[in-house]
Amino acid sequence: MSSIKPLNGIKIIDFTHVQAGPACTQMLAWFGADVIKVERPGAGDVTRSQLRDIPDVDALYFTMLNSNKRSLTLDTKQPEGKVVLEKLIKESDVLVENFGPGALDRMGFTWERIQELNPKMIVASVKGFSDGHHYDDLKVYENVAQCAGGAASTTGFWDGPPTVSAAALGDSNTGMHLAIGILTAIIGRQQTGKGQRVACAMQDAVLNLCRVKMRDQLRLDKLGYLEEYPQYPQYPQYPQYPQYPQYPQYPQYPQYPHGTFSDVVPRGGNAGGGGQPGWVLKCKGWQTDPNAYIYFTVQGHAWAPICDAIGKPEWKTDPDYVTPKARQPHIMDIFATIEGWLADKTKFEAVDILRKFDIPCSPVLTMKELLHDPSLRASGSIVEVPHKERGSYFTVGSPIKFSDLKPEITGSPLLGEHTDEVLAELGYSKDQIGNLRESKAV
Ligand code: COA
């Protein structure tokens, strides 16, 4: 394993806070970039103090999004602070920020000014909405973005309200998109010698992950129905189906209270989003354990093994079951039958049986199970890292694995821990640093 990391030598001014920006710069730090987190003196990133589990110690919210970074406190609204930032810009490769709209400009660091200071600079921003969007003045947090990007309207159950995902589709997902943009701009700069602006709007990053839901909207516009959704009625073979409400003689499944499609993509509960129907199924103990479930997928070509696995060999040749199209109208009855088979098996036992039949499935895992999963510990996806005030903390490590790079996760910095060090690297003497401290610029 090489000790040189691919991003060694890339210096990043990390002007980010909360989650979207910090997730991006943390990943770049894991891969070798020198990430200097610039924080307001005395306060720092708001997540340092949000949802604390230990009084007066950086909260896990902060530590889990800011490992491998250095922290410089700097008031960039003070003239002395602006001078420090100017020096830093001249020496850095990338500035990443996720302030509210216009904040960097109000600070005096417009794109034009930054280019004057360093034409090679890459300025990367996360905002809620893209530049010029009719909502581009809005401040945005995670769930706002999930609503704006199409995730909420398509998540949840048809008889419930729009629902947000626990996964940070608005925040960390946007940070990951931005990281791809930054790396692309770094490679572009190798060809042109020039920096550029990179922006990723949270709405766009969510929408990018909701691509298949947009696919469904386009299909719905054309067909009037979506065959893989639970709203699909019992008698899809009738070509008049788009006008289905006119045919009340065809009873609908009681579990699909709508039973018809409107002109927008509905919430599909736990339905599989692709051509493979799937559902969350109850296992032994579901009555008392809210996570005694597995996700079960009915992959088209795996139908025969599924029938064998669940003890229904006769379904292999039954015309009502033999093709995916034939199965679709009664897919929920098929899932109910599988649930019957699962009734005496824990989620882990079930998966151990089903894996032998090559059936795509997984236990529904809790955060506690994931935290203690030996495989995740062994792969470095869950790591324990030292921290100066906490002792140590667990965090989620790099989800990306390399053959010649092992991201080594180090603790998050204390507020201003590297202020003197970074200022000295910029050429400030001890006395000058003392003056900056006195004026509260750092
Ligand atoms: N020195 C001096 N001023 C600083 C500073 C520093 N080191 N760091 C931040 N500030 C100032 C900013 O310049 C800004 O000033 P102004 O708006 O008065 O001109 C002020 O602090 C507030 O910054 P802002 O980013 O607007 O913070 P907020 O707490 O009001 O809003 C968000 C938080 C997340 C809603 C907002 O930053 C936002 O919409 N960001 C873009 C989208 C985003 O990333 N959201 C996801 C967050 S996970």
Side-chain angles (χ1 to χ4, degrees):
M1 204 64 69
S2 167
S3 59
I4 313 257
K5 300 199 168 76
L7 297 188
N8 278 165
I10 299 290
K11 194 163 173 175
I12 298 180
I13 303 170
D14 180 17
F15 232 161
T16 70
H17 63 157
V18 203
Q19 184 172 175
C24 165
T25 49
Q26 171 172 262
M27 184 161 275
L28 300 176
W30 289 342
F31 302 159
D34 177 13
V35 175
I36 301 166
K37 184 156 177 117
V38 180
E39 299 178 84
R40 225 189 310 221
D45 188 327
V46 67
T47 59
R48 285 188 185 269
S49 57
Q50 274 182 348
L51 310 173
R52 274 185 173 143
D53 57 325
I54 305 175
D56 305 325
V57 170
D58 286 335
L60 288 165
Y61 198 2
F62 178 84
T63 64
M64 293 178 76
L65 285 157
N66 291 284
S67 57
N68 295 55
K69 301 181 184 179
R70 298 197 283 168
S71 169
L72 162 74
T73 46
L74 190 64
D75 185 339
T76 53
K77 287 200 172 148
Q78 285 206 32
E80 300 91 331
K82 283 190 205 296
V83 174
V84 175
L85 185 58
E86 283 176 5
K87 279 184 196 280
L88 208 49
I89 288 172
K90 285 182 187 159
E91 298 206 349
S92 299
D93 300 278
V94 186
L95 183 153
V96 190
E97 62 92 19
N98 68 321
F99 293 128
L104 200 59
D105 291 356
R106 287 193 292 278
M107 238 179 240
F109 291 91
T110 59
W111 168 232
E112 292 70 26
R113 176 73 187 128
I114 293 172
Q115 272 181 305
E116 268 170 30
L117 293 166
N118 180 356
K120 288 180 139 189
M121 192 71 172
I122 291 159
V123 176
S125 303
V126 168
K127 295 286 168 272
F129 295 89
S130 57
D131 254 1
H133 189 287
H134 57 274
Y135 283 150
D136 71 1
D137 55 324
L138 281 176
K139 288 186 172 182
V140 169
Y141 282 108
E142 171 67 58
N143 292 345
V144 178
Q146 290 205 28
C147 290
S153 71
T154 52
T155 302
F157 282 80
W158 44 88
D159 52 355
T163 304
V164 295
S165 166
L169 306 178
D171 281 344
S172 280
N173 167 47
T174 309
M176 299 304 103
H177 277 78
L178 193 70
I180 295 168
I182 292 169
L183 296 173
T184 304
I186 291 174
I187 292 171
R189 191 177 66 177
Q190 287 165 3
Q191 292 153 10
T192 65
K194 288 196 307 196
Q196 60 177 308
R197 283 178 82 182
V198 183
C200 189
M202 296 166 77
Q203 181 189 39
D204 292 346
V206 173
L207 178 58
N208 192 30
L209 294 201
C210 289
R211 187 170 288 265
V212 296
K213 296 295 171 183
M214 188 60 86
R215 170 203 70 188
D216 293 348
Q217 184 61 53
L218 297 168
R219 291 167 60 222
L220 186 63
D221 289 347
K222 191 159 254 170
L223 300 171
Y225 64 89
L226 297 165
E227 67 197 47
E228 74 284 20
Y229 279 65
Q231 288 81 356
Y232 194 54
Q234 202 166 357
Y235 297 101
Q237 63 269 40
Y238 288 90
Q240 318 78 321
Y241 170 62
Q243 289 80 41
Y244 182 73
Q246 296 167 13
Y247 297 86
Q249 68 270 35
Y250 304 131
Q252 296 175 5
Y253 274 178
Q255 60 268 58
Y256 312 148
H258 295 158
T260 58
F261 289 90
S262 72
D263 61 350
V264 299
V265 176
R267 292 187 270 288
N270 287 316
Q276 288 72 243
W279 203 254
V280 169
L281 301 182
K282 293 173 185 136
C283 295
K284 184 178 165 185
W286 68 271
Q287 297 88 340
T288 51
D289 176 356
N291 293 297
Y293 290 82
I294 61 168
Y295 199 87
F296 190 101
T297 315
V298 182
Q299 216 185 358
H301 63 265
W303 181 241
I306 289 170
C307 297
D308 288 334
I310 63 169
K312 281 278 181 192
E314 65 276 17
W315 279 359
K316 284 194 270 189
T317 48
D318 185 331
D320 275 351
Y321 291 87
V322 80
T323 65
K325 213 174 172 60
R327 291 193 287 275
Q328 195 58 49
H330 36 249
I331 193 74
M332 295 311 278
D333 289 343
I334 294 173
F335 288 136
T337 303
I338 301 171
E339 276 188 342
W341 176 80
L342 288 166
D344 62 349
K345 298 166 189 73
T346 68
K347 60 184 177 183
F348 298 110
E349 289 165 352
V351 169
D352 274 342
I353 297 169
L354 296 172
R355 70 200 301 185
K356 297 194 184 93
F357 293 87
D358 223 12
I359 294 166
C361 61
S362 170
V364 170
L365 294 174
T366 64
M367 280 299 137
K368 189 167 188 162
E369 285 160 346
L370 290 163
L371 179 61
H372 297 288
D373 185 321
S375 296
L376 295 181
R377 294 284 182 92
S379 69
S381 294
I382 299 281
V383 290
E384 188 172 9
V385 294
H387 186 269
K388 291 196 174 66
E389 291 179 343
R390 299 188 143 262
S392 73
Y393 64 96
F394 284 99
T395 190
V396 180
S398 173
I400 304 171
K401 317 292 182 197
F402 302 85
S403 63
D404 202 23
L405 165 69
K406 191 169 184 339
E408 220 178 278
I409 316 293
T410 61
S412 61
L414 301 178
L415 179 61
E417 184 179 341
H418 304 95
T419 300
D420 289 5
E421 181 182 300
V422 172
L423 292 174
E425 286 167 10
L426 289 175
Y428 285 94
S429 67
K430 268 204 163 118
D431 285 351
Q432 288 170 319
I433 295 172
N435 291 339
L436 285 171
R437 283 198 182 283
E438 220 152 88
S439 66
K440 301 221 177 336
V442 299

